[in-house]
Amino acid sequence: MIKKLFLLPGDGIGTEVMTEVELLIQWFNDRGIASFETESGLVGGSAYDAHGEAISDSDMALAMAADAVIFGAVGGPKWDSVPYDQRPEAGLLRLRKDMELFANLRPAICYPALAGASSLKKELVDGLDILIVRELTGGVYFGEPKTITDLGNGQKRAIDTQIYDTYEIDRVSRVAFEMARTRSNLVHSAEKRNVMKSGVLWNEVVTQVHKESYSDVKLEHILADNCGMQLVRAPKQFDVIVTDNLFGDILSDVAAMLTGSLGMLPSASLGAEDEKTGTRKALYEPVHGSAPDIAGKDYANPIATIGSFGMALRYSFGMGDWATKLDDAIAAVLDKGLRTRDLAQEGDKVISTAEMGKAIIAELDAIAG
Ligand code: IPM
Ligand code: MG
């Protein structure tokens, strides 16, 4: 069966890391393991330059029709002064919202070879394997009103609105509990119930869902600020962390650094399962941004985007065995001491984006036999 992939490389290093994913897709096709059909579109600043908006309606339609979307990164100083509604990030936010990708899975795994590359002590991160489940279509990212008003007295007032309805908390917490059952069976739910009404409701709904359907899973409630602190104090105490859109954004950047580099973290943004087909809308994206400072230099680490494609194999295409092989290939390359700049320490061999992509495919080739 042909699987339709829609590629949105975006801006900055997005295009460089996507090239490596395209070679990987080609490898799967050439080997006859899968039949991927790819189409590419524009998102972010590159889409603004072409059509005056951060994603066009026709690219949006292609994203909706694809079996999976693979996303690179958006943004850069070039677009600092474009209208707010058309800023590069707006393209990504529209994709998340219109495709209803409410569950964002952000696994933070510390490959053994990289334990020394983390800013934390090796023993704190060695063997780390946590999963952040971030709510992705609600909260302060999308709540209205969202305005800046001139108060007329030399002052302005900015308003962002944090909104959560029961069903939004319910469905994302179910994803977290389901994931925990396939892992170490522990969920931490992070909110700020001591300050925010949305935190009070979050806590209440997660507690209820747990009681009703997942009492076999261990649930801990944790204040989001304490969660940030615990992530850098003793990260291995966590298995799955479920949290809202904004806290998830922040906590996943923290978790990323535990693994050695922001260039390591993949993510999957998933919609609800279609009851008839069993399929779900999905977009796969690295957690890192467009890194304009290193764009175009062949320095970027493609592992987060390659890992995101691996998540597509697992969650969209029932190819979990190949996702595991791809992870093994990444681990093998790192074991050989091959590093992009972001990961390099003394004595490592520093390689380019393209060399890293090729090294991973060569290992996969060897593993596949
Ligand atoms: C992320 C990014 C995005 C976010 C930006 C690019 C809008 O930081 O995916 O974590 O804030 O969600
Ligand atoms: Mg972020």
Side-chain angles (χ1 to χ4, degrees):
M1 238 181 49
I2 291 185
K3 305 171 201 304
K4 277 194 291 176
L5 292 173
F6 187 48
L7 310 183
L8 287 171
D11 310 319
I13 61 168
T15 54
E16 294 162 59
V17 293
M18 191 64 79
T19 302
E20 302 316 308
V21 171
E22 291 187 67
L23 293 172
L24 188 58
I25 293 169
Q26 193 58 49
W27 181 87
F28 276 95
N29 285 344
D30 290 348
R31 278 258 183 165
I33 298 163
S35 295
F36 291 115
E37 198 178 86
T38 60
E39 201 161 351
S40 296
L42 295 174
V43 66
S46 55
Y48 181 80
D49 289 346
H51 326 287
E53 48 188 358
I55 186 162
S56 66
D57 290 344
S58 61
D59 277 346
M60 227 14 262
L62 288 170
M64 297 291 263
D67 294 317
V69 177
I70 316 286
F71 184 96
V74 288
K78 182 176 173 202
W79 302 284
D80 275 351
S81 54
V82 308
Y84 186 78
D85 286 346
Q86 300 306 342
R87 72 200 187 287
E89 291 78 5
L92 175 58
L93 297 179
R94 180 171 174 201
L95 283 159
R96 290 174 179 171
K97 192 72 179 173
D98 289 7
M99 293 172 74
E100 286 187 79
L101 307 172
F102 65 85
N104 182 215
L105 313 185
R106 299 191 157 186
I109 292 165
C110 185
Y111 289 89
L114 291 187
S118 170
S119 47
L120 292 197
K121 291 193 201 89
K122 191 173 184 319
E123 59 273 20
L124 286 184
V125 295
D126 204 1
L128 179 81
D129 179 359
I130 61 184
L131 175 69
I132 296 185
V133 178
R134 168 187 178 194
E135 199 291 326
L136 203 61
T137 49
V140 76
Y141 272 62
F142 297 100
E144 298 282 351
K146 198 181 215 358
T147 51
I148 298 180
T149 320
D150 198 327
L151 298 179
N153 57 356
Q155 295 289 306
K156 289 181 184 174
R157 175 171 296 156
I159 302 179
D160 288 291
T161 308
Q162 166 88 340
I163 306 182
Y164 272 107
D165 289 356
T166 304
Y167 78 95
E168 297 177 282
I169 305 167
D170 184 295
R171 64 185 180 180
V172 75
S173 67
R174 284 177 194 278
V175 172
F177 287 124
E178 293 286 341
M179 296 304 304
R181 277 183 176 159
T182 68
R183 302 167 45 94
S184 301
N185 220 33
L186 170 64
V187 171
H188 280 79
S189 168
E191 32 64 10
K192 282 283 288 178
R193 64 185 177 281
N194 54 347
V195 182
M196 300 167 80
K197 287 292 182 186
S198 57
V200 172
L201 184 65
W202 185 280
N203 184 281
E204 198 178 297
V205 175
V206 174
T207 303
Q208 184 61 28
V209 169
H210 176 250
K211 200 170 133 208
E212 250 173 46
S213 318
Y214 297 97
S215 53
D216 55 303
V217 181
K218 191 163 172 357
L219 170 65
E220 303 271 1
H221 297 282
I222 186 167
L223 294 174
D225 53 344
N226 184 28
C227 186
M229 188 270 275
Q230 295 297 338
L231 269 174
V232 291
R233 193 187 72 85
K236 284 192 257 181
Q237 68 185 288
F238 295 106
D239 178 26
V240 175
I241 298 171
V242 64
T243 190
D244 80 10
N245 205 341
L246 183 60
F247 295 143
D249 179 44
I250 297 167
L251 295 176
S252 61
D253 264 28
V254 174
M257 239 355 260
L258 304 176
T259 69
S261 161
L262 202 48
M264 294 299 296
L265 231 69
S267 91
S269 305
L270 307 176
E273 201 173 272
D274 182 308
E275 277 172 20
K276 283 195 209 105
T277 62
T279 60
R280 53 192 350 154
K281 289 214 172 18
L283 179 145
Y284 298 88
E285 54 172 315
V287 171
H288 65 69
S290 60
D293 51 322
I294 59 160
K297 295 194 169 138
D298 206 15
Y299 285 174
N301 181 353
I303 292 178
T305 312
I306 290 175
S308 300
F309 176 69
M311 292 186 84
L313 296 176
R314 188 180 302 281
Y315 295 110
S316 286
F317 302 122
M319 295 170 68
D321 50 339
W322 283 104
T324 304
K325 285 177 188 164
L326 183 54
D327 275 341
D328 291 346
I330 293 170
V333 169
L334 295 171
D335 278 343
K336 289 189 171 154
L338 301 176
R339 303 278 188 275
T340 42
R341 276 167 194 259
D342 54 312
L343 299 171
Q345 292 180 295
E346 253 184 58
D348 290 332
K349 179 162 166 38
V350 176
I351 59 173
S352 69
T353 310
E355 285 166 336
M356 180 57 91
K358 279 172 201 71
I360 292 170
I361 292 177
E363 282 299 337
L364 186 61
D365 217 44
I367 291 169

